Amino acid sequence: MRHVLSVLVENEPGVLSRISGLFSGRGFNLDSLNVAPVLEEGVSLMTIVTRGDQQIIEQIVKQLRKLVTVIKVTDMHHSSTVEREMALIKVNATESNRAEILRIVDIFRCKVVDVSLDELTLEVIGDHGKVEAVIALLDRFGIKEIARTGTVALRRSMQPEK
């Protein structure tokens, strides 16, 4: 099962290494990892996407909370959240299929960010499911390259903290 963990950490050298080391040392996989500073000076927010049953996720959360530089860990799985991910997708776009690709772009509210005679580069922003759906639809045209960000997530407003 896919879980999104929100981890507030002290922004100091080695934090990322310690957290990724915790995952690799215990055989847990990171699907994505996104880190950025927050409003509070010296603090960053890590959004970690991982997979596992409830027992594995509980173990990960307990291990993260033991790290000195970790301020707070929240499993967003049981919360109503706003999640976003961004992908740049370079797809083959011939004269015969360009119109169909542009219809997909329009339906999913993507942006064309680069154009050449035989390919389009698209920007897709949305939740994980939307990005996966666009990739699945474009796959038949021949995807040349993909670059994806990790997931970022915030608890929806008016949601009690768990």
Side-chain angles (χ1 to χ4, degrees):
M1 183 168 285
R2 180 177 181 270
H3 284 260
V4 177
L5 303 176
S6 177
V7 184
L8 210 55
V9 297
E10 295 174 14
N11 191 356
E12 60 183 50
V15 172
L16 180 60
S17 176
R18 284 192 291 276
I19 289 181
S20 63
L22 180 147
F23 276 78
S24 66
R26 287 162 181 80
F28 303 136
N29 191 38
L30 290 168
D31 285 356
S32 78
L33 174 64
N34 194 305
V35 186
V38 295
L39 294 173
E40 186 179 336
E41 185 74 26
V43 177
S44 289
L45 178 66
M46 288 186 165
T47 306
I48 299 170
V49 179
T50 189
R51 295 185 186 276
D53 60 26
Q54 195 58 42
Q55 183 180 357
I56 289 173
I57 300 303
E58 286 175 12
Q59 172 114 24
I60 291 170
V61 169
K62 285 177 186 175
Q63 294 296 321
L64 285 169
R65 287 183 176 145
K66 287 182 182 179
L67 296 176
V68 175
T69 52
V70 172
I71 299 166
K72 183 178 181 182
V73 180
T74 307
D75 181 0
M76 307 288 264
H77 184 72
H78 301 294
S79 303
S80 181
T81 61
V82 176
E83 287 184 33
R84 290 295 178 266
E85 184 176 326
M86 194 266 295
L88 295 174
I89 305 168
K90 191 178 291 186
V91 64
N92 290 319
T94 62
E95 195 174 308
S96 62
N97 67 14
R98 191 175 295 258
E100 191 173 355
I101 293 170
L102 291 173
R103 279 195 294 277
I104 293 169
V105 166
D106 187 48
I107 290 168
F108 282 91
R109 296 188 195 127
C110 304
K111 290 181 183 175
V112 176
V113 293
D114 190 40
V115 178
S116 75
L117 292 174
D118 61 349
E119 61 191 30
L120 295 171
T121 302
L122 312 173
E123 174 188 85
V124 183
I125 299 174
D127 63 20
H128 181 75
K130 177 181 177 178
V131 174
E132 289 292 324
V134 171
I135 290 169
L137 285 171
L138 294 173
D139 194 40
R140 65 189 167 120
F141 302 109
I143 295 175
K144 290 185 170 184
E145 282 183 81
I146 297 179
R148 291 173 78 163
T149 65
T151 297
V152 292
L154 289 175
R155 183 187 317 278
R156 289 195 177 274
S157 299
M158 305 300 290
Q159 294 295 313
E161 243 182 80
K162 292 184 179 184

